[in-house]
């Protein structure tokens, strides 16, 4: 049976549906989670629909999380959106339900669901939620669902810029903007830069170097983060920063956290998720994350980044 049909049957069967997403959420995590929850509320007004996970204050404009008790899970269907592996699921009670559904567009490294719908060709999990809506005549949409799904697509495609943006993505967007929500307000919320983060961007732009092989690395130590009063999680806003620099094919940020060094890898050609996988991480071919235990380990990552760029230039 087609996987979307299986998921729809599960939606019909359960009276409580709890939707999760990944830790350190981004707009697609919130958009797919909240968008699905809104579709379900609109379509099944008598069912109990919850969203759970730790709130990210900068995404409060998208949705707020519910208080979900352990008892709520007893007879529940649990859906996890936009999350490749179990360790990254926010709210580790995802296994407390009767059935688990995974909906995601990252490589399927961990088939943790009873039903797994993974489409790596989708721009975003939010786009998959839209596809599910188009697929099923039992799902109804409303302005709020459209707003959330649209925001998720915008977030994961870098405003329709990344190569993951397809004809289907634009078709979804064209249909979603027919609903009543304020796109300007949404963009202002999504793309406003706190002053401290802007200053740190200035620091990165002043200090980055481009190696002849076509890569760049940025190391943000605890001291630098302290100086700019920027938290490690706020640095996610800087990751795309080197994408439009002449001569950079791939780049890495090394961000020192309390007990590890977070590695963010981005590319415009060389495949970098293999490197991430070798350092306790993973992700998409052109955008991945990992973690290093020491600055020495970041040197190893840098060496591998150099190698993939050299290989890429030979092709
Ligand atoms: Mn996503």
């Amino acid at each position: 049976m087609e996987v979307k049909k299986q998921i729809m049957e599960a939606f019909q069967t359960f009276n409580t549906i709890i939707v999760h997403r990944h830790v350190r959420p981004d707009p697609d995590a919130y958009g797919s989670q909240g968008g699905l929850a809104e579709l379900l509320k609109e379509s099944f007004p008598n069912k109990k629909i919850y969203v759970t996970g730790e709130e990210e204050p900068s995404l409060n404009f998208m949705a707020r999380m519910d208080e979900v008790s352990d008892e709520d899970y007893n007879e529940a269907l649990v859906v996890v959106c936009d999350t490749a592996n179990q360790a990254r699921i926010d709210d580790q009670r995802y296994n407390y339900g009767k059935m688990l559904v995974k909906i995601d567009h990252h490589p399927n490294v961990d088939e943790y669901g009873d039903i797994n719908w993974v489409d790596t060709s989708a721009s975003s999990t939010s786009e998959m939620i839209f596809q599910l809506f188009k697929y099923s005549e039992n799902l109804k949409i409303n302005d709020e669902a459209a707003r959330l799904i649209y925001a998720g697509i915008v977030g994961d495609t870098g405003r329709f810029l990344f190569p993951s943006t397809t004809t289907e993505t634009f078709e979804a967007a064209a249909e979603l903007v027919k609903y009543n929500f304020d796109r300007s307000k949404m963009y202002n919320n999504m793309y406003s830069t706190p002053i401290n983060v802007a200053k740190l961007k200035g620091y990165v732009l002043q200090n980055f170097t481009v190696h002849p092989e076509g890569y760049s690395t940025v190391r943000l130590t605890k001291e630098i983060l302290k100086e700019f009063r920027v938290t490690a999680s706020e640095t996610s806003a800087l990751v795309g920063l080197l994408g439009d620099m002449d001569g950079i094919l791939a780049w890495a940020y090394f961000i020192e956290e309390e007990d590890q060094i977070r590695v963010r890898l981005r590319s415009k050609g060389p495949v970098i998720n293999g490197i991430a996988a070798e350092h306790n991480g993973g992700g998409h071919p052109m955008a991945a994350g990992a973690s290093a235990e020491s600055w020495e380990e970041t040197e190893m990552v840098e060496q591998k980044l150099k190698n993939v760029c050299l290989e890429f230039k030979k092709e």
Side-chain angles (χ1 to χ4, degrees), residues 187-200:
Y187 291 140
N188 288 339
N189 275 311
M190 288 176 84
Y191 297 103
S192 72
T193 306
I195 303 295
N196 55 338
V197 175
K199 299 278 186 191
L200 182 57

Side-chain angles (χ1 to χ4, degrees), residues 15 73 114 170 179 195 197 216 228 230-231 240 245 277:
N15 286 318
Y73 282 86
D114 300 306
F170 284 114
Y179 292 87
I195 303 295
V197 175
S216 183
F228 286 90
V230 170
T231 63
M245 298 300 160

Side-chain angles (χ1 to χ4, degrees), residues 18-58:
I18 305 171
V19 190
H20 292 232
R21 37 88 186 151
H22 59 78
V23 295
R24 302 171 198 272
D26 55 12
D28 186 36
Y30 261 63
S32 53
Q33 175 191 39
L36 175 61
E38 287 299 325
L39 291 179
L40 292 170
K41 283 183 202 168
E42 184 70 25
S43 314
F44 307 106
N46 296 323
K47 293 186 194 285
K48 286 189 207 152
I49 313 294
Y50 300 110
V51 289
T52 186
E54 195 180 323
E55 288 193 335
E56 164 52 47
S58 68

Side-chain angles (χ1 to χ4, degrees), residues 4 13-14 17 62 97 112 138-139 148 168 174-175 190 194 216 222 225 237-238 240 255 265 274 283 295 303 306 308:
K4 282 186 259 193
T13 306
F14 286 85
I17 304 171
M62 289 187 71
Y112 55 76
N138 294 318
L139 283 180
L148 288 163
E168 287 76 31
E175 192 165 333
M190 288 176 84
S216 183
K222 277 183 193 164
L225 296 178
L238 277 66
I255 301 130
L265 293 157
W295 291 110
Q303 188 60 44
K306 181 177 171 176
V308 292

Side-chain angles (χ1 to χ4, degrees), residues 22 26 28-29 32 82 104-106 123-126 152 156 284:
H22 59 78
D26 55 12
D28 186 36
S32 53
D82 199 39
D104 188 31
H105 69 130
H106 300 90
S123 71
S124 52
T125 306
S126 299
D156 257 26
H284 304 283

Side-chain angles (χ1 to χ4, degrees), residues 63 71 96 103 109 115 139 223 254 269 272 282:
E71 291 71 52
Y96 286 19
I103 303 178
V109 289
I115 303 171
L139 283 180
E223 289 71 35
F254 302 111
I272 44 77

Side-chain angles (χ1 to χ4, degrees), residues 232-249:
S233 66
E234 283 176 312
T235 61
S236 63
L238 277 66
V239 183
L241 202 54
L242 300 179
D244 58 356
M245 298 300 160
D246 284 350
I248 298 184
L249 287 170

Side-chain angles (χ1 to χ4, degrees), residues 8-301:
M8 285 310 304
E9 285 189 0
F11 288 164
Q12 304 275 6
T13 306
F14 286 85
N15 286 318
T16 300
I17 304 171
I18 305 171
V19 190
H20 292 232
R21 37 88 186 151
H22 59 78
V23 295
R24 302 171 198 272
D26 55 12
D28 186 36
Y30 261 63
S32 53
Q33 175 191 39
L36 175 61
E38 287 299 325
L39 291 179
L40 292 170
K41 283 183 202 168
E42 184 70 25
S43 314
F44 307 106
N46 296 323
K47 293 186 194 285
K48 286 189 207 152
I49 313 294
Y50 300 110
V51 289
T52 186
E54 195 180 323
E55 288 193 335
E56 164 52 47
S58 68
L59 295 174
N60 280 350
F61 76 94
M62 289 187 71
R64 303 303 299 266
M65 297 297 112
D66 297 313
E67 294 282 341
V68 185
S69 69
D70 288 358
E71 291 71 52
D72 291 325
Y73 282 86
N74 287 343
E75 300 295 323
L77 172 71
V78 175
V79 184
V80 180
C81 292
D82 199 39
T83 313
N85 58 306
Q86 293 174 71
R88 273 178 60 75
I89 301 176
D90 197 348
D91 197 335
Q92 284 286 315
R93 297 177 296 174
Y94 65 92
N95 260 329
Y96 286 19
K98 276 254 156 17
M99 190 190 248
L100 184 60
V101 175
K102 174 187 185 181
I103 303 178
D104 188 31
H105 69 130
H106 300 90
N108 199 7
V109 289
D110 182 359
E111 294 198 322
Y112 55 76
D114 300 306
I115 303 171
N116 297 283
W117 178 29
V118 173
D119 181 359
T120 53
S121 72
S123 71
S124 52
T125 306
S126 299
E127 185 180 320
M128 295 173 70
I129 299 300
F130 182 78
Q131 287 170 13
L132 191 63
F133 157 67
K134 294 301 285 181
Y135 165 82
S136 172
E137 56 217 12
N138 294 318
L139 283 180
K140 296 192 197 113
I141 198 165
N142 57 24
D143 292 340
E144 183 60 3
R147 182 181 77 90
L148 288 163
I149 294 168
Y150 186 82
I153 293 173
V154 166
D156 257 26
T157 60
R159 293 181 257 188
F160 307 103
L161 181 69
F162 303 152
S164 57
T165 310
T166 63
T167 318
E168 287 76 31
T169 314
F170 284 114
E171 280 167 359
E175 192 165 333
L176 288 164
V177 295
K178 290 176 188 159
Y179 292 87
N180 186 28
F181 60 89
D182 188 337
R183 264 183 288 158
S184 302
K185 196 170 148 198
M186 174 190 293
Y187 291 140
N188 288 339
N189 275 311
M190 288 176 84
Y191 297 103
S192 72
T193 306
I195 303 295
N196 55 338
V197 175
K199 299 278 186 191
L200 182 57
K201 279 187 178 179
Y203 170 86
V204 170
L205 291 171
Q206 290 281 345
N207 291 288
F208 78 97
T209 50
V210 186
H211 297 275
E213 296 84 0
Y215 74 95
S216 183
T217 54
V218 175
R219 285 181 169 78
L220 299 175
T221 61
K222 277 183 193 164
E223 289 71 35
I224 294 168
L225 296 178
K226 202 174 160 203
E227 184 188 332
F228 286 90
R229 286 175 290 110
V230 170
T231 63
S233 66
E234 283 176 312
T235 61
S236 63
L238 277 66
V239 183
L241 202 54
L242 300 179
D244 58 356
M245 298 300 160
D246 284 350
I248 298 184
L249 287 170
W251 62 102
Y253 277 76
F254 302 111
I255 301 130
E256 190 175 11
E257 296 182 342
E258 277 313 308
D259 50 355
Q260 60 167 10
I261 299 164
R262 174 157 287 268
V263 182
R264 298 181 190 276
L265 293 157
R266 294 291 183 274
S267 174
K268 292 195 292 184
V271 172
I272 44 77
N273 58 351
I275 302 174
E278 288 168 13
H279 294 271
N280 209 15
H284 304 283
M286 302 293 135
S291 61
E293 294 192 353
S294 63
W295 291 110
E296 290 73 48
E297 191 177 345
T298 69
E299 306 279 348
M300 290 166 63
V301 173

